Amino acid sequence: MHVDVTMTGLVALYIFMLAGFAGWVIIGNVPAILHTPLMSGSNFVHGIVVVGGMFALLNASTVLEQAIGFLAVLLGAGNAAGGYAVTDRMLAMFKTSEPQAKSRHGHGRIHHLKKKG
Amino acid sequence: MFAMLAQITIGTADLAAASLFLFGLKRMSSPATAKSGIRVAGIGMIAAVLTSFLYVFGVDTAARPHLMVNVALAIIALGIGGGGAWLVGRKVAMTAMPQMVAIYNGMGGGAAGGIAAMELFGNRTHGATQLLVTLLGGLIGAVSMSGSVIAWAKLQGVLAKPLRIRGQQLLNGVFLLAAVSVAGWIAVSGLSGADPVLPLTTWTYIFFAIALVFGVLMTLPIGGADMPVVISIYNAFTGLAVGLEGYVLGTPALMIAGMVVGAAGLLLTLLMARAMNRSVANVLFTNFGQVAKVHRGAITGTERATEASDAGIKMRYAASVIIVPGYGLAAAQGQQKLYEFVKLLLAAKVSVKFAVHPVAGRMPGQMDVLLAEAGVPYDLIFQLDDINAEFATTDVVLVIGANDVVNPAARTDKSSPIYGMPILDADKAKQVYVIKRGQGKGYSGIVNALFYEPNCNMVFGDAQAVLIKMIEAVRGLGAAAA
């Protein structure tokens, strides 16, 4: 890609190191009760690969490349959309016992989203 | 001119997306803010995907004549892939969540592998580092894809039994070595211009074929019970592959998102393996079924059965009750009835808490999701470390569809295969009731010492049917009193 920021190997390693550390620290704080939504949430996050697929497909110049690019975008989009759908559904279910009004609101929300989907 | 503007827009949107991912994941660390967390991350994703269309302003000269077709293909791919996965994701049952995560993860791995294939077929990489990183990302992505598909098939019940053949590990080793060797060959001949014997594109095909087969072979021998750890590993793998391909494409958003997930997945894998008292290597290279024989240890005595109604009434008059749910509860679809019963107890001023073991369910935290789905408020749900001390002062513990996670042999019997595994100390309560389909062992094949303890009674039957009887018994009391 023709970004004007030239990335040397060392800068890339810095990015990887910091991002890895950030992931480790953020996830280390998540309570076990949220581990399943978290796994699917992080699964959603790597759905960003669809952007890489878009870059590849738009730059395709042979039928083979078009086919691979098409597949990459298709799979990446599935990863992102599916990951979001299941994570959002799971998280919408978690509610506390105290404010009764709030939980009813939560139910309405699921309903609303179902209609949209 | 447009090209530069487009680049700046894409760069900004990607930066925003990466920030929103991190912010969203951070908000997911508490049940109260988690819902907004995923939505924040979702906004980042939409921004990044929409602006990625601006790549049209800077495509390779060779791709220019195909631009209209490529854009159309992109829209179709986004529509089919995104729309299809969205529809399935909104409908799938909560019990099927582990295999859904597996399949979405496999898709991500496949996409990363596809990007690597594009780079290799089109000979687009520049220099040794880029080429090697592309190959590594492609290998990891392809393994993650085919491995995740096998994991899905196992959890879905398509592949029922772990398939093991003699010399499996040797075979796996050979395939891994072959994939690495072919990658090395592609790199060496690609960089030095040496004669690769076969055309490089052929080698690329061979490389991906070996990688895909390796993913299948690596996953086939692993038992269904260990699949959560495997899914978590592949989740980390896909993250890593995405990060590496992000480097090759020069897209920091992919690098950051991929590596965050890679690290998070690694941590989650280690946490899970620890909760199961296994090392990750043990999960990958040996099998639980091989270790576990029918194991009685020093257990004496017999299981004593009791009536569901008696157990229900006993809990109604207890001061404190802790419920230990396991996957058997979800298999019997008893969560709704359980919460109905709990509401009766709460109305009778009984203190009720749920104790969830880290590996309850088929995925860490899945039991929490299933309880939440039934309407159980999350402030009643407690994790192992937070509640374990309370069992000793609790009147009644109700174990439903859980087995190994309450087996005291893990604390006391050094010869037990689960010795050392952290367990819920249900046996320390004054009275324990265990709802179970029938006499027999859990999936690990280990006899549960708890069932033979003097303070434990068995309530045999389908979880849902037993809970209905308990509800009727407690309701009957209320009617009699009135």
Side-chain angles (χ1 to χ4, degrees):
Chain A
M1 212 166 59
H2 330 279
V3 189
D4 44 355
V5 187
T6 33
M7 201 164 4
T8 67
L10 209 56
V11 174
L13 284 179
Y14 275 107
I15 293 180
F16 281 148
M17 184 271 288
L18 289 171
F21 191 70
W24 186 275
V25 170
I26 290 173
I27 268 55
N29 287 332
V30 174
I33 188 172
L34 287 172
H35 273 176
T36 289
L38 177 83
M39 210 201 277
S40 85
S42 61
N43 183 30
F44 158 74
V45 165
H46 66 50
I48 187 72
V49 69
V50 66
V51 169
M54 287 288 289
F55 177 76
L57 174 56
L58 293 174
N59 281 294
S61 51
T62 65
V63 176
L64 175 67
E65 287 184 352
Q66 284 176 325
I68 298 172
F70 182 81
L71 204 65
V73 174
L74 185 98
L75 294 174
N79 181 178
Y84 183 90
V86 294
T87 310
D88 188 57
R89 259 181 73 198
M90 281 192 269
L91 290 176
M93 290 169 186
F94 284 92
K95 56 185 198 295
T96 54
S97 47
E98 279 101 37
Q100 211 54 36
K102 211 176 170 187
S103 75
R104 222 176 284 132
H105 179 64
H107 275 299
R109 230 180 182 146
I110 302 171
H111 190 64
H112 167 68
L113 271 170
K114 262 186 191 154
K115 265 186 190 163
K116 228 166 67 177
Chain B
M1 182 49 84
F2 273 125
M4 202 170 142
L5 204 62
Q7 264 185 42
I8 293 168
T9 314
I10 293 170
T12 315
D14 282 5
L15 178 64
S19 324
L20 291 174
F21 288 161
L22 285 172
F23 184 60
L25 280 174
K26 176 74 196 134
R27 286 190 72 81
M28 274 195 223
S29 62
S30 153
T33 55
K35 270 161 270 185
S36 70
I38 183 68
R39 295 201 173 138
V40 163
I43 293 167
M45 186 69 76
I46 289 172
V49 171
L50 287 181
T51 49
S52 70
F53 276 99
L54 295 175
Y55 282 133
V56 295
F57 292 109
V59 296
D60 299 344
T61 10
R64 270 196 201 130
H66 308 282
L67 203 51
M68 292 308 286
V69 180
N70 289 351
V71 171
L73 284 175
I75 293 170
I76 295 169
L78 285 174
I80 297 176
W86 176 267
L87 288 179
V88 176
R90 296 241 61 109
K91 279 203 196 110
V92 64
M94 282 298 146
T95 41
M97 212 40 86
Q99 52 265 50
M100 262 353 264
V101 174
I103 205 71
Y104 294 142
N105 182 54
M107 291 172 106
I115 294 168
M118 285 283 292
E119 297 289 320
L120 294 171
F121 283 127
N123 206 8
R124 291 165 207 272
T125 55
H126 306 288
T129 315
Q130 275 205 5
L131 183 54
L132 287 172
V133 171
T134 306
L135 287 163
L136 183 62
L139 174 65
I140 298 172
V143 168
S144 177
M145 172 158 102
S146 60
S148 294
V149 171
I150 298 300
W152 169 84
K154 278 174 179 279
L155 288 167
Q156 189 71 24
V158 180
L159 283 173
K161 280 187 177 169
L163 187 88
R164 265 171 254 136
I165 49 171
R166 282 162 62 94
Q168 178 94 44
Q169 290 184 38
L170 188 69
L171 187 70
N172 290 0
V174 168
F175 266 85
L176 180 60
L177 197 69
V180 173
S181 311
V182 174
W185 184 244
I186 293 172
V188 168
S189 47
L191 292 170
S192 68
D195 179 22
V197 188
L198 293 168
L200 271 182
T201 38
T202 311
W203 282 116
T204 306
Y205 279 120
I206 294 172
F207 168 65
F208 280 107
I210 296 174
L212 288 171
V213 173
F214 175 67
V216 172
L217 288 178
M218 187 175 144
T219 323
L220 274 179
I222 303 172
D226 285 334
M227 275 306 130
V229 179
V230 175
I231 296 172
S232 183
I233 291 173
Y234 286 144
N235 192 31
F237 270 23
T238 302
L240 198 60
V242 170
L244 293 174
E245 297 309 328
Y247 165 75
V248 177
L249 296 177
T251 318
L254 264 69
M255 295 170 66
I256 292 170
M259 208 48 67
V260 164
V261 177
L266 178 66
L267 176 58
L268 220 65
T269 310
L270 295 173
L271 287 175
M272 248 183 272
R274 195 185 303 156
M276 296 166 84
N277 198 32
R278 321 260 307 272
S279 71
V280 175
N282 185 251
V283 170
L284 288 180
F285 302 121
T286 64
N287 198 278
F288 209 52
Q290 291 173 326
V291 186
K293 298 181 278 287
V294 176
H295 182 92
R296 275 193 72 100
I299 296 166
T300 52
T302 47
E303 298 184 3
R304 282 169 307 279
T306 196
E307 287 301 315
S309 50
D310 293 347
I313 290 165
K314 172 102 181 177
M315 280 184 266
R316 159 67 182 76
Y317 288 109
S320 54
V321 171
I322 295 180
I323 295 169
V324 179
Y327 193 74
L329 173 70
Q333 301 195 307
Q335 306 96 294
Q336 303 282 349
K337 288 290 163 205
L338 175 61
Y339 187 45
E340 208 179 313
F341 177 62
V342 166
K343 278 192 279 195
L344 285 177
L345 296 182
L346 289 171
K349 302 273 182 280
V350 181
S351 148
V352 184
K353 288 174 177 173
F354 289 82
V356 177
H357 190 273
V359 294
R362 290 186 162 183
M363 193 164 153
Q366 193 192 8
M367 206 61 239
D368 305 283
V369 173
L370 293 168
L371 290 175
E373 187 189 22
V376 178
Y378 63 76
D379 46 311
L380 296 186
I381 305 174
F382 293 85
Q383 308 299 320
L384 186 130
D385 291 339
D386 303 322
I387 200 165
N388 234 2
E390 281 186 44
F391 281 104
T393 56
T394 298
D395 290 341
V396 183
V397 170
L398 177 64
V399 178
I400 311 174
N403 195 339
D404 294 337
V405 298
V406 289
N407 190 346
R411 280 198 317 261
T412 54
D413 181 1
K414 280 198 174 134
S415 65
S416 174
I418 58 165
Y419 179 73
M421 181 172 100
I423 59 152
L424 290 161
D425 297 333
D427 57 307
K428 292 188 176 165
K430 294 193 187 90
Q431 169 70 49
V432 182
Y433 291 113
V434 178
I435 302 181
K436 209 161 161 293
R437 285 191 74 84
Q439 297 188 343
K441 303 166 286 282
Y443 67 68
S444 64
I446 305 161
V447 174
N448 194 333
L450 170 69
F451 302 165
Y452 300 90
E453 296 279 330
N455 63 339
C456 178
N457 286 95
M458 312 297 291
V459 185
F460 290 114
D462 172 74
Q464 192 170 157
V466 168
L467 285 163
I468 289 171
K469 277 189 208 154
M470 287 182 172
I471 291 166
E472 281 167 1
V474 174
R475 284 231 172 95
L477 283 178

